[in-house]
Amino acid sequence: MIYPKIPLAQSIIEICSVKGIHNIIISPGSRNAPLTIGFAQNSNFKCYSIADERCAAFFALGIAQQTKKPTAIVCTSGSALLNYYPAIAEAYYSQIPLIIISADRPQNKVDIGDGQTIRQQNVFQNHSVFNANLTENASEENDLKINKAIETAILQKGPAHINAPFEEPLYETVESLSVQPKITHSEETPKTKIIENIEDFVSIWNSAKRKLVLVGVNEANSIDKKTVENLANDPSIVVLTETTSNLHHPCFINSIDTLITPFDDIDFKEFEPEILITFGGMVVSKRIKGFLRKYKPLHHWHIDTLRAYNTFNALTKHFVMQPNDFFNALLSKTVFVKSDYFQQINQVYELRKIKKEKYLEKIPFSDFKVFEKVIGSLPKNSQLQVSNSSAIRYAQLIDIEQSIEVFCNRGTSGIDGSTSTAIGASVGTLKPTVFITGDIGFLYDSNALWNSYIPKNFKIILINNGGGGIFRILPGYEEKPVFNTFFETSHHLTAEHLAKMYQLNYFTATDLDSLEKSITSFYEINDAPGILEIFTPTTENDVVLKQFFKELV
């Protein structure tokens, strides 16, 4: 086998191998040559070459999102490293393990005017779970730091940074290892399945007649069916699920904004919970956040093995355990109480759903109509990746087939790496992947297509409304030059030439008839990845959406 001659590079590679780091995303460079040589010529690793570091990091995030295992990203020194930062922040807030391995100049070259050199140590300190600042020579101290970085990324589900200084020559190789790195093993603390002082919480639960369960980003099939049924059958419980919660039951309310947007103060007061239980990641709906911040529950219990964000300024208890274990422990000791909480809210929601269907039947071709059609066309048992901004908000309004798993970068809610994440996720799963995105997010991340790893069954549905349409929905919108240029970023660009350059199949639609025809071909042809670009009317989309909420009343 071929190894880099530099001992520190050997140590990093060997420890990664022992720790089960399998997927390595490498961005070409010179300073990281020792790492590239070692990773790429070792059969224990699957290496991907992606030139754009920002795209590479989001691609890695997508793989880690699907495999639930750390993915490593490797780059050269200087500003290359800083391009990782958006994905690192996303990984930190979405609790996704990433291993960042950056090559660096030796410390005596920093801040003396040497080329491609910045202060790399601790550069991600505010959004990482561990930072290993290595010294130039291989040592047990360095080995311990490398071990700790990888172990912490796994245990704390986040990004860990390993910064490794290398001196030239960088490309020399040897046929045998010159190091035997020290390997440590940190065992995960067993997660508790017991609620301390459970009788106190059972008492609170059994005396409450209005209980609200709100589920954010959540892994599919993580909650037992008996728990789902218990929550669904309790008349004192209303369960609100988001598209990214991947939790389904006919009695759960899966479009929060459809329910509460038309509420007035009286409605909100009747909806106000005594107990709020939250689990899962970030919540999309701004309306539910606004409601719970104004009408605070007496008790807010959040269930998460690592973190508890006080999103509604009402947190009273953080249960450090798996949600499934929490509900198994609590619900086995509780009883149903007499309540009309679910009945009242569900009655309103069922009427809203009828009005939504009637409204969708009569509206013209627009973003809302397109989302209804494209989500309804998604293949069963596929994976849906959704970009941020208006795309995920429209998706929240449409029912999605239960066999489809839904993902979105909601950690930081940025548009910057949605396409790269979706492509990485498609590489990290055996399921066919469909990615729904808006034009601004797609164009912003168009370098995502600049790699040779996109599966042939990867599909992009691009809804092009000529700008940042979400800004037309937000308060304060006015049709003026400043708005069009600096907020909406109006444009007349399409994906046609990008599709041709990257050899992707390309389909278009401009109305319902062409959409129905194109979407059939779009899914049938699988000789290459495909883009379906749907052009919607810029000035009508916000009118259609705003009228929808008015007609729900």
Side-chain angles (χ1 to χ4, degrees), residues 4 59 71 90-91 111-112 118 131 135 145 208 216 238 250 279 287 301 314 377 391 477 493 515 525 535 537 546:
F59 178 90
T71 302
E90 177 63 36
D111 287 343
I112 66 166
I118 65 170
N131 293 275
T135 53
K145 289 179 181 178
V238 171
F279 66 91
R287 290 182 173 91
W301 303 341
S377 73
Y477 153 67
L493 302 173
L515 175 58
I525 300 175
F535 297 92
K546 289 175 181 177

Side-chain angles (χ1 to χ4, degrees), residues 206-457:
N206 286 340
S207 64
K209 295 186 177 182
R210 294 189 295 188
K211 310 179 187 88
L212 186 64
V213 177
L214 174 60
V215 191
V217 176
N218 185 61
E219 185 179 343
N221 304 313
S222 61
I223 306 298
D224 290 346
K225 288 184 178 180
K226 65 177 182 180
T227 294
V228 171
E229 291 297 330
N230 192 312
L231 295 174
N233 293 330
D234 191 326
S236 67
I237 297 177
V238 171
V239 179
L240 304 180
T241 62
E242 295 219 306
T243 299
T244 51
S245 73
N246 296 298
L247 187 65
H248 305 279
H249 191 280
C251 291
F252 293 172
I253 292 171
N254 60 3
S255 179
I256 298 170
D257 287 358
T258 298
L259 171 69
I260 71 172
T261 299
F263 274 5
D264 57 24
D265 286 341
I266 295 174
D267 296 319
F268 279 127
K269 199 65 183 172
E270 291 179 352
F271 191 36
E272 182 179 15
E274 298 166 68
I275 299 174
L276 169 67
I277 290 185
T278 55
F279 66 91
M282 302 297 190
V283 171
V284 175
S285 172
K286 288 182 69 175
R287 290 182 173 91
I288 194 63
K289 284 184 271 194
F291 160 63
L292 290 169
R293 285 167 183 161
K294 184 176 180 180
Y295 297 89
K296 298 183 189 299
L298 294 174
H299 307 275
H300 174 199
W301 303 341
H302 184 70
I303 314 158
D304 190 280
T305 58
L306 295 170
R307 303 178 198 165
Y309 295 119
N310 191 9
T311 306
F312 316 110
N313 301 315
L315 186 67
T316 55
K317 178 65 177 177
H318 173 202
F319 291 92
V320 185
M321 57 196 306
Q322 294 286 359
N324 205 54
D325 294 334
F326 170 83
F327 286 116
N328 283 339
L330 180 74
L331 299 181
S332 64
K333 293 180 175 294
T334 58
V335 295
F336 289 180
V337 296
K338 187 176 181 181
S339 171
D340 61 358
Y341 187 53
F342 171 78
Q343 183 182 9
Q344 282 188 331
I345 300 305
N346 187 61
Q347 190 173 25
V348 173
Y349 186 57
E350 290 300 322
L351 289 173
R352 297 262 200 273
K353 288 198 293 184
I354 293 170
K355 290 182 178 180
K356 179 174 74 173
E357 295 305 315
K358 289 181 178 179
Y359 185 74
L360 283 167
E361 288 175 5
K362 69 179 183 180
I363 61 174
F365 189 73
S366 58
D367 283 353
F368 198 9
K369 190 69 175 177
V370 165
F371 269 89
E372 178 201 20
K373 294 298 182 183
V374 298
I375 287 178
S377 73
L378 294 171
K380 289 185 177 181
N381 299 304
S382 61
Q383 174 192 180
L384 173 62
Q385 292 276 337
V386 188
S387 72
N388 273 301
S389 202
S390 58
I392 187 61
R393 286 171 171 80
Y394 274 112
Q396 294 270 95
L397 301 175
I398 309 296
D399 291 345
I400 296 179
E401 213 280 331
Q402 293 188 19
S403 68
I404 298 169
E405 292 186 54
V406 185
F407 300 89
C408 179
N409 283 349
R410 291 307 298 175
T412 62
S413 307
I415 66 168
D416 36 9
S418 294
T419 311
S420 296
T421 303
I423 293 172
S426 71
V427 171
T429 183
L430 297 176
K431 291 185 174 184
T433 301
V434 180
F435 173 54
I436 299 179
T437 183
D439 49 299
I440 298 298
F442 173 79
L443 293 168
Y444 196 96
D445 195 29
S446 60
N447 268 3
L449 304 177
W450 182 20
N451 74 73
S452 58
Y453 310 107
I454 308 176
K456 290 183 178 180
N457 63 357

Side-chain angles (χ1 to χ4, degrees), residues 422-497:
I423 293 172
S426 71
V427 171
T429 183
L430 297 176
K431 291 185 174 184
T433 301
V434 180
F435 173 54
I436 299 179
T437 183
D439 49 299
I440 298 298
F442 173 79
L443 293 168
Y444 196 96
D445 195 29
S446 60
N447 268 3
L449 304 177
W450 182 20
N451 74 73
S452 58
Y453 310 107
I454 308 176
K456 290 183 178 180
N457 63 357
F458 179 72
K459 308 289 186 183
I460 298 174
I461 297 177
L462 167 57
I463 300 168
N464 189 340
N465 55 27
I470 191 169
F471 290 101
R472 291 176 172 266
I473 301 167
L474 299 176
Y477 153 67
E478 289 184 79
E479 191 76 37
K480 291 182 178 180
V482 168
F483 171 82
N484 292 343
T485 301
F486 295 104
F487 288 92
E488 189 175 43
T489 55
S490 301
H491 67 88
H492 299 285
L493 302 173
T494 78
E496 181 178 5
H497 296 292

